[in-house]
Amino acid sequence: MWPIHLHPQHDESLTSWLMRMSLALGTEPHFLCKAASIRSRTSICDFDVELTNLEIMKLSEHSGIQATQLLNTSLQGFHSLFHKTSRNKKIWLTNSISLPPRRRKIAICPICLTNSTTPYLRKDWRFAFNVACKIHMIRLIDECPNCKEPFYSATKYIYQSEKMQCSGCGLALSDMTIPCVEKRLFENSFFDQIHNGSHPAWPAFSKLYNILNTLFGSFGLLYQDLVLKTLEVSFGEEKAKQLAKLLYGFGRTAGFLAFGEHNADYRHAALNVAFKTYDTDLI
């Protein structure tokens, strides 16, 4: 059994917990996984999604943490939910291992991290449809706003409150200027259906998926005026035109089947339009 026992934080991801454990023990996550006889290469295994119950049990035995606690840090339940929406099970997740390493960015809320006694990554930040912090009402970011250095789950300073600054330019997370978001992003019935146990969540994902494909897929140009008007409210006329052009390009290329592969700015722009149509009969 490992000599240090760190319990997962509330809503912490399994990847985050493994990173904190390895830092506390002065080693790397893949060495911990090797010691526990589970898959150790993050390049071929998404720990938040793909670890089996047996591997969770092995981690429990070595860490001294109950298996139920570790299972609660995984995204296995949501993974099966996403599978009902599309055969591409990772459509709604960011940081996919199928992406080139440079593009496996994670979205974070700098205020959540800097205000935490124990900084950690939240499970919700892995969801491609989650583009803002509902606590601080700011956008989630996946790169430094100053130098564009990406954030990765293996970026050690994210977990170290005394060193919490960009590894590229040295800007402290507490000094980063992040755009605020509109409250309606969190008042949409899409989120209500996800978090309300009395409503099945997968139809909500299916509907949002269809809206995104309609807005930005093959027939997206039919809704160009709607997209531009919605984007202009948040981004201004010139920025709206640039974003709309990029979104249409991504949509026609991928049909939004790989929505989670887009960066945080474009996902926010797309959802800004989609949520406006979600509870209407416009589409």
Side-chain angles (χ1 to χ4, degrees), residues 106-267:
I106 57 165
I108 65 169
C109 170
I111 301 179
C112 282
L113 289 175
T114 54
N115 286 356
S116 298
T117 305
T118 302
Y120 64 94
L121 301 180
R122 278 66 168 169
K123 287 193 297 184
D124 285 355
W125 294 349
R126 283 285 318 262
F127 299 148
F129 58 81
N130 188 20
V131 295
C133 175
K134 58 188 175 185
I135 298 174
H136 300 107
M137 301 299 291
I138 62 170
R139 297 254 297 274
L140 297 182
I141 58 173
D142 54 16
E143 61 187 15
C144 172
N146 184 48
C147 71
K148 307 305 179 184
E149 176 71 15
F151 301 131
Y152 303 109
S153 58
T155 303
K156 294 181 179 179
Y157 71 80
I158 288 176
Y159 310 91
Q160 300 170 317
S161 54
E162 70 279 3
K163 300 178 181 179
M164 205 164 284
Q165 61 185 29
C166 173
S167 57
C169 65
L171 179 67
L173 263 65
S174 57
D175 293 333
M176 292 182 177
T177 302
I178 313 299
C180 294
V181 295
E182 298 178 48
K183 190 176 181 180
R184 67 180 179 83
L185 274 178
F186 304 105
E187 296 177 334
N188 194 278
S189 69
F190 169 69
F191 287 106
D192 293 337
Q193 291 185 63
I194 292 174
H195 296 293
N196 188 336
S198 63
H199 293 82
W202 73 265
F205 284 105
S206 183
K207 182 176 181 180
L208 184 63
Y209 171 79
N210 289 333
I211 289 174
L212 287 168
N213 264 322
T214 302
L215 285 170
F216 306 108
S218 301
F219 303 100
L221 293 179
L222 296 174
Y223 300 92
Q224 189 171 43
D225 287 342
L226 169 66
V227 172
L228 284 173
K229 287 178 182 177
T230 306
L231 291 178
E232 284 174 5
V233 173
S234 298
F235 300 100
E237 184 176 355
E238 290 304 315
K239 183 66 172 178
K241 289 179 181 178
Q242 296 173 17
L243 288 170
K245 184 177 180 180
L246 287 168
L247 289 169
Y248 286 133
F250 285 142
R252 288 196 299 273
T253 301
F256 270 84
L257 292 176
F259 184 58
E261 296 183 6
H262 303 329
N263 71 27
D265 283 341
Y266 300 142
R267 284 188 285 110

Side-chain angles (χ1 to χ4, degrees), residues 14-29:
L14 184 57
T15 297
S16 172
W17 174 78
L18 279 169
M19 274 299 301
R20 291 197 303 111
M21 276 297 305
S22 63
L23 288 170
L25 292 168
T27 184
E28 299 291 336

